[in-house]
Amino acid sequence: MKEYIIAIDGGTTNTRASLWKDPGICVDIVKSEVGVRITSIEGSNASLKAAVKGLLEQLLQNNSVSYDQIEGIYACGMITSKEGLAELPHLIAPAGMRDFVDGLAKVDLPDVSPLPIHFVRGLKNRDGSCLTLQEVEEMDVMRGEETETLALLDLFGNENGTLFALPGSHTKFVSVDANGNMIGCLSSLAGELLSAVTLNTILAGAVGKQFAGADYNREMLLAGYRTARDTSLARAAFSTRMLQMFIPSSEQDRASFLLGAVLENDVGAVKNSKALSVTRDMKIVIAGKEPLASALKLLFEEDGFFEKVEIYYPAAEKPMSGYGLYQIAKANT
């Protein structure tokens, strides 16, 4: 009896595979520290193929399951890039569940799996073939976050449209219209920028080379946000050093200030970027870990443009990308 679905989320630095069964139950998750980056380093995707094959075999062995019981294998993320296992062009927004199902690429990879793998295409904001310099800011792409968005749509529903925020090293914002179509995405380097400033600038001493934790100082976070909003990110960041020199404060206080300054740029970008289409009656759903999730919620509420902001804390035992792939698999049957 074919009762299981395998989901593969291939990233830049690691790959994760999960085993699912009805009704959306994640049975097991396995992970490899091999991602598409290894292809760029080695000039071949042989290591990536071996890693994915190993993950599939590990899932089956862990759960006493055979390939005869697998209804389908579905994959998303950077695994569909040039460095992955099957390079696929992005879909063009707007796109919803039906588009992702119709865009599936069923690929035979006998040296990875005896079953074909269904690869999910990523999404880009527009065609891009004749993009001008003036239009560059309108362009954005994603591979993997589209499946996370489909998972969140299933969990939260969608009324007047929703803006999904997926904070991380590269924070992704995805706008969805009232019909459930993804109409644009926006990427930010907020996480990487915060890491670079925290660890590799003169501010490293001010924050003790530490990031704000879950117990961040809300007052300091808002102060950093307001300083960046009223001046600039560069100025607000340097003000972290002024806090160290002239205001009684702890390293965590100053890290909180710096976090607010960096995240202010994301709040502003969401409202001002042409990559997204947002309205005041859209709700925002922030799906991520602390402190980024609640910090973003606080700053969006401080800004006041959006009327409703919610947080979803993804459960480690139910990865959103895997659940989104499970939803695609069910829609494909």
Side-chain angles (χ1 to χ4, degrees), residues 24-171:
I25 299 171
C26 185
V27 178
D28 194 12
I29 307 170
V30 292
K31 182 179 177 181
S32 168
E33 298 301 323
V34 175
V36 300
R37 181 177 62 178
I38 195 69
T39 301
S40 297
I41 295 172
E42 297 181 350
S44 163
N45 65 3
S47 292
L48 182 60
K49 283 184 173 182
V52 173
K53 179 181 181 181
L55 290 175
L56 296 176
E57 293 174 348
Q58 186 180 349
L59 269 184
L60 298 180
Q61 182 177 354
N62 286 355
N63 299 280
S64 300
V65 173
S66 71
Y67 275 111
D68 290 338
Q69 296 171 272
I70 303 301
E71 182 178 324
I73 303 173
Y74 290 76
C76 70
M78 292 300 291
I79 203 168
T80 65
S81 69
K82 180 176 66 175
E83 295 78 18
L85 298 187
E87 183 180 6
L88 298 176
H90 296 82
L91 294 179
I92 301 172
M97 173 63 84
R98 192 69 251 164
D99 299 291
F100 288 106
V101 171
D102 291 343
L104 286 169
K106 187 178 179 180
V107 181
D108 289 314
L109 294 170
D111 50 349
V112 175
S113 162
L115 299 180
I117 299 176
H118 299 77
F119 290 93
V120 178
R121 300 176 192 270
L123 186 71
K124 58 184 177 182
N125 286 0
R126 53 187 298 176
D127 180 277
S129 59
C130 299
L131 202 66
T132 67
L133 183 59
Q134 289 71 32
E135 296 169 326
V136 166
E137 198 283 318
E138 301 173 21
M139 192 62 171
D140 213 308
V141 298
M142 58 182 173
R143 290 190 189 271
E145 292 88 358
E146 69 288 334
T147 58
E148 296 180 64
T149 302
L150 290 172
L152 290 167
L153 278 169
D154 181 76
L155 294 169
F156 279 85
N158 187 47
E159 297 173 3
N160 299 318
T162 307
L163 177 67
F164 292 102
L166 306 170
S169 296
H170 293 175
T171 297

Side-chain angles (χ1 to χ4, degrees), residues 193-326:
L193 179 61
L194 182 65
S195 177
V197 173
T198 298
L199 302 175
N200 299 294
T201 72
I202 196 172
L203 302 182
V207 299
K209 290 190 174 182
Q210 296 181 14
F211 304 102
D215 58 345
Y216 60 85
N217 185 316
R218 290 167 57 95
E219 180 182 355
M220 284 292 190
L221 180 89
L222 287 169
Y225 163 82
R226 292 165 184 154
T227 302
R229 179 196 63 194
D230 297 340
T231 59
S232 70
L233 171 58
R235 173 57 184 163
F238 190 79
S239 294
T240 306
R241 180 165 169 78
M242 298 300 96
L243 288 176
Q244 180 187 29
M245 296 177 64
F246 300 109
I247 301 292
S249 56
S250 68
E251 290 176 344
Q252 270 296 293
D253 290 339
R254 297 188 286 271
S256 301
F257 182 95
L258 183 59
L259 176 62
V262 171
L263 292 184
E264 186 279 332
N265 271 224
D266 281 358
V267 175
V270 163
K271 296 188 301 178
N272 299 320
S273 173
K274 294 180 181 178
L276 289 178
S277 178
V278 297
T279 58
R280 297 182 70 90
D281 59 349
M282 273 184 165
K283 68 179 175 183
I284 300 181
V285 176
I286 302 168
K289 300 177 181 179
E290 292 293 4
L292 292 178
S294 64
L296 267 177
K297 182 176 188 292
L298 180 61
L299 297 185
F300 274 114
E301 291 174 338
E302 168 73 8
D303 176 76
F305 180 83
F306 296 98
E307 298 172 356
K308 188 176 183 180
V309 186
E310 300 180 24
I311 294 180
Y312 173 69
Y313 294 107
E317 66 274 14
K318 190 171 184 177
M320 287 191 299
S321 60
Y323 185 56
L325 287 169
Y326 167 82

